[in-house]
Amino acid sequence: MDDVIIIGGSFAGLAGALQLGRARRKVTVLDTGLPRNRFAGHSHGLLGHDHKPPLDILAEARQQLARYPTIRLVSARADSVSGAIDDFSVLTGDGESLGARRLILSYGVADQMPDVPGFAESWGTSIVPCPYCDGFEAAGQHWGLVWSGPQSHNYVRLYHDWTDTLTLFADGHDIPPDIRADLARRNIPVVDGRITEIAHHGGHIATVNLDTGRNVAVDILFAHPRNKPSASLHESLGLATVDTPLGIALKVDERRETSMPGIYAAGDLANPLMASVTTASSHGAMAGIFAQQSMLV
C-alpha cells in the first residue's frame, strides 16, 4: 500500500510528490499526460523557469523525481476511488487496483470552448485568460476582452497595468448602463454584437468577426470561458464544492484537505480563480506536506 496516491501529474501533483518523496513516503502519481496549459507555447511567472515551454518544465520535473526511490510515476487514468482514510482504493484505466492511506486530487480542469469557429484553435496563442501569464509580452499593445459577466469589469482595471488600449466585446451580453458609463469614462470602447468567428494570424494577433458585419483586429484577446473538472471522481466521493464565476472548484481548508478526511486537493481543481503554475506548484507542495504530517504517529 502507498502512503499517498496522487491523481494528476502536472505542476500541482508533481510538486506534492516531490515533498512526499523527500520525506521518504511511498507515492504513486497517476497522470494522463494532458495538462491544461499544453496549448501555451511558454509558461511565465514560475521562478527559475520563466519563459520555458510548460511541457519542457514538466519533463524536467519528472526527470528530477526519478532520484527518489519511493516515487512511482504511472501513465494511467484513475477510473474510480473508494474507501476511507488510511484505506483508500483506486482502480486505474489499465485495471490495476492501488491502495493508499491518503489521496491528493490534482487532475485539474478543462476549459469549455464556446461554439465559435476559430476560438478553440486560437486558445493559448491569440486567446488567453491570464495577464500575469501573457501580459508582459503584449504590454502596450491593443488588447481585447470578451465580456463574461460582472467580473469582467474588474479585469478592465487590472489590465491598465499592462496597456492603455483596450476594446471590450459585449458578445451579446447586456452590460448595465452604469458599467457602460464607467467604461466610457475610461475611454474603453464597447463593441456590441455576437462574436461569430476568431481569425488567428500567428503570434497573439487575432481578428474578431461579429454578426453585425464588423471585424475588429486586436494584438491579443483575453477571454474567460467556464471550465469544469477534468474528471468526476470528486462527485462519486461526494466531496463539497464551490461554485465560482468560472466553474466548479473543490472546497478545501487551509491544509488543502477536502470535506472527506484524508483526501487533499491542489491546483486549478481547487483554485480556479487564480490559475497559474506558480499557485498550482505552491498548493501542490502544501498538499503533499500536510498529507505527510497527517500520517505522523
Side-chain angles (χ1 to χ4, degrees), residues 189-277:
V190 177
V191 178
D192 290 307
R194 285 196 172 276
I195 298 173
T196 58
E197 185 180 11
I198 304 293
H200 174 54
H201 303 296
H204 287 310
I205 301 174
T207 298
V208 181
N209 299 332
L210 302 145
D211 62 1
T212 60
R214 185 177 178 184
N215 303 325
V216 181
V218 294
D219 293 311
I220 191 170
L221 182 63
F222 285 81
H224 302 89
R226 285 182 64 84
N227 55 61
K228 67 177 183 179
S230 295
S232 58
L233 299 175
H234 59 284
E235 296 178 1
S236 61
L237 291 166
L239 302 183
T241 60
V242 178
D243 193 6
T244 79
L246 294 181
I248 297 296
L250 295 193
K251 184 177 182 180
V252 295
D253 62 15
E254 67 278 1
R255 297 172 64 86
R256 312 307 300 176
E257 192 169 20
T258 68
S259 58
M260 179 176 286
I263 300 182
Y264 299 77
D268 296 351
L269 180 64
N271 187 40
L273 297 182
M274 286 295 292
S276 75
V277 295

Coordinates of all heavy atoms in Angstrom, one line a residue, residues 189-277:
P189 N -13.8 51.5 -25.5 CA -14.9 51.3 -26.4 C -15.5 49.9 -26.1 O -14.9 48.9 -25.9 CB -14.3 51.4 -27.8 CG -12.9 51.0 -27.6 CD -12.5 51.5 -26.2
V190 N -16.9 49.8 -26.3 CA -17.6 48.6 -26.2 C -18.1 48.3 -27.6 O -18.8 49.1 -28.2 CB -18.8 48.7 -25.2 CG1 -19.6 47.4 -25.2 CG2 -18.3 49.0 -23.8
V191 N -17.8 47.1 -28.0 CA -18.3 46.6 -29.4 C -19.4 45.7 -29.1 O -19.2 44.6 -28.6 CB -17.1 45.9 -30.1 CG1 -17.6 45.4 -31.5 CG2 -16.0 46.9 -30.3
D192 N -20.6 46.0 -29.6 CA -21.8 45.2 -29.5 C -21.9 44.2 -30.6 O -21.2 44.2 -31.6 CB -23.1 46.0 -29.4 CG -23.1 46.8 -28.1 OD1 -23.0 46.2 -27.0 OD2 -23.3 48.1 -28.2
G193 N -22.8 43.2 -30.4 CA -22.9 42.1 -31.4 C -22.3 40.8 -30.9 O -21.4 40.9 -30.0
R194 N -22.7 39.7 -31.4 CA -22.1 38.4 -31.0 C -20.9 38.1 -31.9 O -20.9 38.4 -33.1 CB -23.2 37.3 -31.1 CG -24.2 37.3 -30.0 CD -25.0 36.0 -30.0 NE -25.9 36.0 -28.8 CZ -25.5 35.6 -27.6 NH1 -24.2 35.2 -27.4 NH2 -26.3 35.6 -26.6
I195 N -20.0 37.5 -31.2 CA -18.8 37.0 -31.9 C -19.1 35.8 -32.8 O -19.6 34.8 -32.2 CB -17.6 36.7 -31.0 CG1 -17.2 38.0 -30.2 CG2 -16.4 36.1 -31.7 CD1 -16.2 37.7 -29.1
T196 N -18.8 35.8 -34.0 CA -19.2 34.7 -34.9 C -17.9 33.9 -35.4 O -18.1 32.8 -35.8 CB -19.9 35.2 -36.2 OG1 -19.0 36.2 -36.9 CG2 -21.2 35.9 -35.8
E197 N -16.8 34.5 -35.2 CA -15.5 33.8 -35.7 C -14.3 34.6 -35.1 O -14.3 35.8 -35.0 CB -15.5 33.8 -37.2 CG -14.3 33.0 -37.7 CD -14.2 32.9 -39.3 OE1 -15.0 33.7 -39.9 OE2 -13.4 32.1 -39.8
I198 N -13.3 33.8 -34.9 CA -12.0 34.4 -34.5 C -11.0 33.9 -35.6 O -10.8 32.8 -35.8 CB -11.5 33.9 -33.1 CG1 -12.5 34.1 -32.0 CG2 -10.1 34.5 -32.8 CD1 -12.7 35.6 -31.7
A199 N -10.4 34.9 -36.2 CA -9.3 34.7 -37.2 C -8.0 34.8 -36.6 O -7.6 35.9 -36.1 CB -9.5 35.6 -38.4
H200 N -7.2 33.8 -36.5 CA -5.9 33.8 -35.9 C -4.8 34.1 -37.0 O -4.8 33.4 -38.0 CB -5.6 32.4 -35.2 CG -4.2 32.3 -34.7 ND1 -3.7 33.2 -33.8 CD2 -3.3 31.3 -34.9 CE1 -2.4 32.7 -33.5 NE2 -2.2 31.6 -34.1
H201 N -3.9 35.1 -36.7 CA -3.0 35.5 -37.7 C -1.5 35.2 -37.3 O -0.6 35.7 -37.9 CB -3.1 37.0 -37.9 CG -4.5 37.4 -38.4 ND1 -5.0 37.0 -39.5 CD2 -5.4 38.2 -37.7 CE1 -6.3 37.6 -39.6 NE2 -6.5 38.3 -38.6
G202 N -1.3 34.3 -36.4 CA 0.0 34.0 -36.0 C 0.4 34.9 -34.8 O 0.0 36.0 -34.7
G203 N 1.2 34.3 -33.9 CA 1.6 35.1 -32.7 C 0.3 35.3 -31.8 O -0.5 34.4 -31.7
H204 N 0.2 36.5 -31.3 CA -1.0 36.8 -30.5 C -2.1 37.4 -31.3 O -3.3 37.4 -30.9 CB -0.6 37.8 -29.4 CG 0.1 37.2 -28.3 ND1 -0.2 36.0 -27.6 CD2 1.3 37.6 -27.6 CE1 0.6 35.7 -26.7 NE2 1.6 36.7 -26.7
I205 N -1.8 37.9 -32.5 CA -2.8 38.8 -33.2 C -4.0 38.0 -33.7 O -3.9 36.9 -34.2 CB -2.1 39.4 -34.5 CG1 -0.9 40.3 -34.0 CG2 -3.0 40.3 -35.2 CD1 0.0 40.8 -35.1
A206 N -5.2 38.6 -33.5 CA -6.4 38.0 -33.9 C -7.4 39.0 -34.4 O -7.3 40.2 -34.1 CB -7.0 37.2 -32.8
T207 N -8.3 38.6 -35.3 CA -9.4 39.4 -35.7 C -10.7 38.8 -35.2 O -11.0 37.6 -35.4 CB -9.4 39.6 -37.2 OG1 -8.2 40.2 -37.7 CG2 -10.6 40.4 -37.7
V208 N -11.5 39.7 -34.6 CA -12.8 39.3 -34.0 C -13.9 39.6 -35.0 O -14.1 40.8 -35.3 CB -13.0 39.9 -32.6 CG1 -14.4 39.5 -32.1 CG2 -11.9 39.6 -31.7
N209 N -14.6 38.6 -35.6 CA -15.6 38.9 -36.5 C -17.0 38.8 -35.8 O -17.2 37.9 -35.0 CB -15.6 37.9 -37.6 CG -14.3 37.9 -38.4 OD1 -13.7 39.0 -38.5 ND2 -13.9 36.8 -39.0
L210 N -17.9 39.8 -36.1 CA -19.1 39.9 -35.4 C -20.3 39.7 -36.3 O -20.2 39.9 -37.5 CB -19.2 41.3 -34.7 CG -18.1 41.5 -33.7 CD1 -17.6 43.0 -33.7 CD2 -18.5 41.1 -32.3
D211 N -21.5 39.4 -35.7 CA -22.7 39.2 -36.5 C -23.2 40.5 -37.1 O -24.2 40.5 -37.9 CB -23.7 38.4 -35.7 CG -24.2 39.2 -34.5 OD1 -23.7 40.3 -34.2 OD2 -25.1 38.6 -33.8
T212 N -22.7 41.6 -36.6 CA -23.1 42.9 -37.2 C -22.4 43.3 -38.5 O -22.6 44.3 -39.1 CB -22.8 44.0 -36.2 OG1 -21.3 44.0 -35.9 CG2 -23.5 43.8 -34.8
G213 N -21.4 42.4 -38.8 CA -20.6 42.6 -40.0 C -19.3 43.3 -39.8 O -18.5 43.5 -40.7
R214 N -19.1 43.7 -38.5 CA -17.9 44.4 -38.2 C -16.8 43.5 -37.8 O -17.1 42.4 -37.2 CB -18.2 45.4 -37.0 CG -17.0 46.3 -36.6 CD -17.4 47.2 -35.5 NE -16.2 48.0 -35.1 CZ -16.3 48.9 -34.0 NH1 -17.4 49.0 -33.3 NH2 -15.2 49.6 -33.7
N215 N -15.6 43.8 -38.2 CA -14.4 43.0 -37.9 C -13.4 43.9 -37.1 O -13.1 44.9 -37.6 CB -13.7 42.4 -39.1 CG -14.7 41.5 -39.9 OD1 -15.6 40.9 -39.4 ND2 -14.6 41.6 -41.2
V216 N -12.9 43.4 -36.0 CA -12.0 44.2 -35.2 C -10.8 43.4 -34.9 O -10.8 42.3 -34.3 CB -12.7 44.6 -33.8 CG1 -11.7 45.5 -33.0 CG2 -14.0 45.3 -34.1
A217 N -9.6 44.0 -35.3 CA -8.3 43.3 -35.0 C -7.8 43.8 -33.7 O -7.8 45.0 -33.4 CB -7.4 43.7 -36.2
V218 N -7.2 42.8 -33.0 CA -6.5 43.1 -31.7 C -5.2 42.4 -31.7 O -5.0 41.4 -32.4 CB -7.4 42.7 -30.5 CG1 -8.7 43.6 -30.4 CG2 -7.7 41.3 -30.5
D219 N -4.3 42.9 -30.8 CA -3.0 42.3 -30.7 C -3.0 41.0 -29.8 O -2.2 40.1 -29.9 CB -2.0 43.3 -30.2 CG -1.7 44.4 -31.2 OD1 -1.4 44.1 -32.4 OD2 -1.7 45.6 -30.8
I220 N -4.0 41.0 -28.9 CA -4.2 39.8 -28.1 C -5.6 39.9 -27.5 O -6.1 41.0 -27.3 CB -3.1 39.8 -26.9 CG1 -3.2 38.4 -26.2 CG2 -3.3 40.9 -26.0 CD1 -2.0 38.2 -25.2
L221 N -6.2 38.7 -27.4 CA -7.6 38.7 -26.9 C -7.7 37.9 -25.6 O -7.3 36.8 -25.6 CB -8.5 38.1 -28.0 CG -10.0 38.0 -27.7 CD1 -10.6 39.4 -27.6 CD2 -10.7 37.2 -28.8
F222 N -8.3 38.5 -24.6 CA -8.5 37.8 -23.3 C -9.9 37.4 -23.2 O -10.9 38.1 -23.5 CB -8.1 38.8 -22.2 CG -6.7 39.0 -22.0 CD1 -6.0 39.9 -22.8 CD2 -6.0 38.2 -21.0 CE1 -4.6 40.0 -22.6 CE2 -4.6 38.4 -20.9 CZ -3.9 39.3 -21.7
A223 N -10.1 36.1 -22.8 CA -11.4 35.5 -22.6 C -11.4 34.6 -21.4 O -10.4 34.0 -21.1 CB -11.8 34.8 -23.9
H224 N -12.6 34.4 -20.8 CA -12.7 33.5 -19.6 C -13.8 32.6 -19.7 O -14.9 32.7 -19.1 CB -12.8 34.4 -18.4 CG -11.6 35.4 -18.2 ND1 -11.6 36.6 -18.8 CD2 -10.4 35.2 -17.6 CE1 -10.5 37.2 -18.5 NE2 -9.7 36.4 -17.8
P225 N -13.7 31.6 -20.6 CA -14.8 30.6 -20.7 C -14.9 29.8 -19.4 O -13.9 29.7 -18.7 CB -14.3 29.7 -21.9 CG -12.9 29.9 -21.9 CD -12.6 31.3 -21.5
R226 N -16.0 29.3 -19.1 CA -16.2 28.4 -17.9 C -15.4 27.2 -18.1 O -15.1 26.7 -19.2 CB -17.7 28.1 -17.7 CG -18.4 29.3 -17.1 CD -19.9 28.9 -16.8 NE -20.0 27.9 -15.8 CZ -20.0 28.1 -14.5 NH1 -19.8 29.4 -14.0 NH2 -20.1 27.1 -13.6
N227 N -15.0 26.6 -17.0 CA -14.3 25.3 -17.0 C -15.0 24.3 -16.1 O -15.9 24.6 -15.4 CB -12.8 25.5 -16.6 CG -12.7 26.2 -15.2 OD1 -13.2 25.6 -14.2 ND2 -12.1 27.3 -15.2
K228 N -14.6 23.1 -16.2 CA -15.1 22.0 -15.4 C -14.0 21.0 -15.0 O -13.0 20.9 -15.7 CB -16.3 21.3 -16.1 CG -15.9 20.5 -17.3 CD -17.0 19.7 -17.9 CE -16.6 18.8 -19.0 NZ -17.8 18.0 -19.6
P229 N -14.2 20.4 -13.9 CA -13.1 19.4 -13.5 C -12.9 18.4 -14.6 O -13.8 18.0 -15.3 CB -13.7 18.7 -12.3 CG -14.6 19.8 -11.7 CD -15.2 20.5 -12.9
S230 N -11.6 18.0 -14.8 CA -11.2 17.1 -15.8 C -11.7 15.7 -15.6 O -11.6 14.8 -16.5 CB -9.7 17.1 -16.0 OG -9.3 18.4 -16.5
A231 N -12.1 15.4 -14.4 CA -12.6 14.0 -14.1 C -13.8 14.2 -13.1 O -14.0 15.3 -12.6 CB -11.5 13.1 -13.5
S232 N -14.5 13.2 -12.8 CA -15.7 13.3 -11.9 C -15.5 12.5 -10.6 O -16.5 12.2 -9.9 CB -16.9 12.8 -12.7 OG -16.7 11.4 -13.1
L233 N -14.3 12.2 -10.3 CA -14.0 11.4 -9.1 C -14.6 12.0 -7.8 O -15.0 11.4 -6.9 CB -12.5 11.1 -8.9 CG -11.8 10.3 -10.0 CD1 -10.3 10.3 -9.8 CD2 -12.4 8.9 -10.2
H234 N -14.5 13.3 -7.8 CA -15.0 14.1 -6.6 C -16.5 13.9 -6.4 O -17.0 14.0 -5.3 CB -14.6 15.5 -6.7 CG -15.2 16.2 -7.9 ND1 -14.7 16.0 -9.2 CD2 -16.2 17.0 -8.1 CE1 -15.3 16.7 -10.1 NE2 -16.3 17.3 -9.4
E235 N -17.2 13.7 -7.5 CA -18.6 13.6 -7.5 C -19.0 12.2 -6.8 O -19.9 12.1 -5.9 CB -19.2 13.7 -8.9 CG -19.1 15.0 -9.5 CD -19.7 15.1 -10.9 OE1 -20.2 14.0 -11.4 OE2 -19.6 16.1 -11.5
S236 N -18.3 11.2 -7.2 CA -18.6 9.8 -6.7 C -18.2 9.8 -5.2 O -18.8 9.0 -4.4 CB -17.9 8.8 -7.4 OG -16.4 8.9 -7.4
L237 N -17.3 10.6 -4.8 CA -16.8 10.7 -3.4 C -17.7 11.6 -2.6 O -17.6 11.6 -1.3 CB -15.4 11.1 -3.3 CG -14.3 10.2 -3.8 CD1 -13.0 10.9 -4.0 CD2 -14.2 9.0 -2.9
G238 N -18.5 12.4 -3.2 CA -19.4 13.3 -2.5 C -18.7 14.5 -1.9 O -19.1 15.0 -0.9
L239 N -17.6 14.9 -2.5 CA -16.8 16.0 -1.9 C -17.5 17.3 -2.1 O -18.2 17.6 -3.1 CB -15.4 16.1 -2.6 CG -14.6 14.8 -2.4 CD1 -13.2 15.1 -3.1 CD2 -14.4 14.4 -1.0
A240 N -17.4 18.2 -1.1 CA -18.0 19.5 -1.2 C -17.3 20.4 -2.2 O -16.1 20.3 -2.4 CB -17.9 20.2 0.2
T241 N -18.1 21.2 -2.9 CA -17.6 22.0 -4.0 C -18.0 23.5 -3.8 O -18.9 23.8 -2.9 CB -18.1 21.6 -5.4 OG1 -19.5 21.6 -5.4 CG2 -17.6 20.1 -5.7
V242 N -17.4 24.4 -4.5 CA -17.8 25.8 -4.5 C -18.0 26.2 -5.9 O -17.3 25.9 -6.9 CB -16.6 26.6 -3.9 CG1 -17.0 28.1 -4.0 CG2 -16.3 26.2 -2.5
D243 N -19.1 26.9 -6.1 CA -19.5 27.4 -7.5 C -18.9 28.8 -7.7 O -19.2 29.7 -6.9 CB -21.0 27.5 -7.6 CG -21.4 27.6 -9.1 OD1 -20.5 27.6 -10.0 OD2 -22.6 27.8 -9.4
T244 N -18.0 29.0 -8.6 CA -17.3 30.2 -8.9 C -17.8 30.8 -10.2 O -18.5 30.1 -11.0 CB -15.8 30.0 -8.9 OG1 -15.4 29.5 -10.2 CG2 -15.3 29.1 -7.8
P245 N -17.5 32.0 -10.5 CA -17.9 32.6 -11.8 C -17.3 31.8 -13.0 O -17.9 31.9 -14.1 CB -17.3 34.0 -11.7 CG -17.3 34.4 -10.3 CD -16.9 33.1 -9.6
L246 N -16.3 31.1 -12.8 CA -15.7 30.4 -13.9 C -16.0 28.9 -13.9 O -15.7 28.2 -14.9 CB -14.1 30.6 -13.9 CG -13.7 32.0 -14.1 CD1 -12.1 32.0 -14.1 CD2 -14.2 32.5 -15.5
G247 N -16.5 28.3 -12.8 CA -16.8 26.9 -12.8 C -16.8 26.4 -11.4 O -16.7 27.1 -10.4
I248 N -16.9 25.0 -11.3 CA -16.9 24.3 -10.0 C -15.5 24.1 -9.5 O -14.6 23.7 -10.3 CB -17.7 23.0 -10.1 CG1 -19.1 23.3 -10.5 CG2 -17.6 22.2 -8.8 CD1 -19.9 24.0 -9.5
A249 N -15.3 24.3 -8.2 CA -14.0 24.0 -7.6 C -14.2 23.2 -6.3 O -15.3 23.3 -5.7 CB -13.2 25.3 -7.2
L250 N -13.2 22.4 -6.0 CA -13.3 21.6 -4.8 C -13.1 22.5 -3.6 O -12.2 23.4 -3.6 CB -12.3 20.5 -4.8 CG -12.5 19.4 -5.8 CD1 -11.6 18.2 -5.4 CD2 -13.9 18.9 -5.9
K251 N -13.9 22.3 -2.5 CA -13.7 23.1 -1.3 C -12.6 22.5 -0.5 O -12.7 21.3 -0.2 CB -15.0 23.1 -0.6 CG -15.0 24.0 0.7 CD -16.4 24.1 1.3 CE -16.4 25.0 2.6 NZ -17.7 25.1 3.2
V252 N -11.6 23.3 -0.1 CA -10.5 22.8 0.8 C -10.3 23.7 1.9 O -10.7 24.9 1.9 CB -9.2 22.6 0.0 CG1 -9.3 21.6 -1.1 CG2 -8.8 24.0 -0.6
D253 N -9.7 23.2 3.0 CA -9.4 24.1 4.1 C -8.0 24.6 4.0 O -7.3 24.5 2.9 CB -9.6 23.3 5.5 CG -8.7 22.1 5.6 OD1 -7.7 22.0 4.8 OD2 -9.0 21.3 6.5
E254 N -7.5 25.3 5.0 CA -6.1 25.9 5.0 C -5.0 24.8 4.8 O -3.9 25.2 4.4 CB -5.9 26.7 6.2 CG -5.8 26.0 7.5 CD -7.1 25.6 8.1 OE1 -8.2 26.0 7.5 OE2 -7.2 25.1 9.2
R255 N -5.3 23.6 5.0 CA -4.3 22.5 4.9 C -4.5 21.8 3.5 O -3.9 20.7 3.3 CB -4.4 21.5 6.0 CG -4.1 22.1 7.4 CD -4.4 21.2 8.5 NE -3.5 20.0 8.5 CZ -2.3 19.9 9.0 NH1 -1.8 21.0 9.6 NH2 -1.6 18.8 8.9
R256 N -5.4 22.3 2.7 CA -5.7 21.7 1.4 C -6.5 20.4 1.5 O -6.5 19.7 0.5 CB -4.4 21.5 0.5 CG -3.4 22.6 0.4 CD -4.1 23.9 0.0 NE -4.7 23.8 -1.3 CZ -5.4 24.8 -1.9 NH1 -5.5 25.9 -1.3 NH2 -5.9 24.6 -3.1
E257 N -7.1 20.2 2.6 CA -7.9 19.0 2.8 C -9.3 19.2 2.4 O -9.9 20.3 2.7 CB -7.8 18.5 4.2 CG -8.4 17.1 4.4 CD -8.1 16.5 5.8 OE1 -7.8 17.3 6.7 OE2 -8.1 15.3 5.9
T258 N -9.9 18.3 1.7 CA -11.3 18.4 1.2 C -12.3 18.1 2.4 O -11.8 17.9 3.5 CB -11.6 17.5 0.0 OG1 -11.5 16.1 0.5 CG2 -10.5 17.7 -1.1
S259 N -13.5 18.0 2.0 CA -14.5 17.7 3.0 C -14.5 16.2 3.5 O -15.1 15.9 4.5 CB -15.9 18.0 2.5 OG -16.2 17.2 1.3
M260 N -13.7 15.4 2.8 CA -13.5 14.0 3.3 C -12.1 13.8 3.9 O -11.1 14.1 3.2 CB -13.7 13.0 2.1 CG -13.5 11.5 2.6 SD -13.8 10.3 1.2 CE -15.6 10.4 1.2
P261 N -12.0 13.4 5.1 CA -10.7 13.3 5.8 C -9.8 12.4 5.0 O -10.2 11.3 4.5 CB -11.1 12.6 7.1 CG -12.5 13.1 7.4 CD -13.2 13.1 6.1
G262 N -8.6 12.8 4.8 CA -7.6 12.0 4.1 C -7.5 12.3 2.7 O -6.6 11.8 2.0
I263 N -8.4 13.1 2.1 CA -8.3 13.5 0.7 C -8.0 15.0 0.6 O -8.7 15.8 1.1 CB -9.6 13.2 0.0 CG1 -9.9 11.7 0.1 CG2 -9.5 13.6 -1.5 CD1 -11.2 11.3 -0.7
Y264 N -6.9 15.3 -0.1 CA -6.5 16.6 -0.3 C -6.6 17.0 -1.8 O -6.7 16.1 -2.7 CB -5.0 16.8 0.1 CG -4.8 16.4 1.5 CD1 -4.7 15.1 2.0 CD2 -4.6 17.5 2.5 CE1 -4.6 14.8 3.3 CE2 -4.4 17.1 3.8 CZ -4.4 15.8 4.3 OH -4.2 15.5 5.6
A265 N -6.7 18.3 -2.1 CA -6.8 18.8 -3.5 C -5.9 20.0 -3.7 O -5.7 20.8 -2.8 CB -8.3 19.1 -3.8
A266 N -5.4 20.1 -4.9 CA -4.5 21.2 -5.2 C -4.6 21.5 -6.7 O -5.1 20.7 -7.5 CB -3.1 20.8 -4.8
G267 N -4.0 22.6 -7.1 CA -4.0 23.0 -8.5 C -5.3 23.7 -8.9 O -6.1 24.1 -8.0
D268 N -5.6 23.8 -10.2 CA -6.7 24.5 -10.7 C -8.0 23.9 -10.2 O -9.1 24.5 -10.1 CB -6.7 24.6 -12.2 CG -5.6 25.4 -12.8 OD1 -4.9 26.0 -12.0 OD2 -5.3 25.3 -14.0
L269 N -8.0 22.6 -9.9 CA -9.2 21.9 -9.4 C -9.7 22.5 -8.1 O -10.9 22.4 -7.9 CB -8.8 20.4 -9.2 CG -9.9 19.5 -8.7 CD1 -11.1 19.4 -9.7 CD2 -9.4 18.1 -8.4
A270 N -8.8 23.1 -7.3 CA -9.3 23.7 -6.1 C -8.9 25.1 -6.0 O -9.0 25.7 -4.9 CB -8.6 22.9 -4.9
N271 N -8.6 25.8 -7.1 CA -8.3 27.2 -7.1 C -8.4 27.8 -8.5 O -7.5 28.3 -9.1 CB -6.8 27.3 -6.7 CG -6.4 28.8 -6.5 OD1 -7.2 29.6 -5.9 ND2 -5.2 29.1 -6.9
P272 N -9.7 27.8 -9.0 CA -9.9 28.2 -10.4 C -9.7 29.7 -10.7 O -9.4 30.1 -11.8 CB -11.3 27.8 -10.7 CG -12.0 27.9 -9.4 CD -10.9 27.4 -8.4
L273 N -9.8 30.5 -9.6 CA -9.8 32.0 -9.9 C -8.4 32.5 -9.9 O -8.2 33.6 -10.4 CB -10.6 32.7 -8.8 CG -12.1 32.4 -8.7 CD1 -12.8 33.2 -7.6 CD2 -12.7 32.6 -10.1
M274 N -7.4 31.8 -9.5 CA -6.0 32.3 -9.5 C -5.2 31.2 -10.2 O -4.2 30.7 -9.6 CB -5.5 32.6 -8.1 CG -6.0 33.9 -7.6 SD -5.5 35.3 -8.5 CE -3.7 35.3 -8.2
A275 N -5.6 30.7 -11.3 CA -4.9 29.6 -12.0 C -3.6 30.1 -12.6 O -3.5 31.0 -13.4 CB -5.8 29.1 -13.1
S276 N -2.5 29.4 -12.1 CA -1.2 29.6 -12.6 C -0.3 28.5 -12.2 O -0.6 27.8 -11.2 CB -0.6 31.0 -12.2 OG -0.2 30.9 -10.8
V277 N 0.8 28.3 -12.9 CA 1.7 27.3 -12.5 C 2.3 27.6 -11.1 O 2.7 26.7 -10.4 CB 2.8 27.1 -13.6 CG1 2.2 26.6 -14.9 CG2 3.6 28.3 -13.8

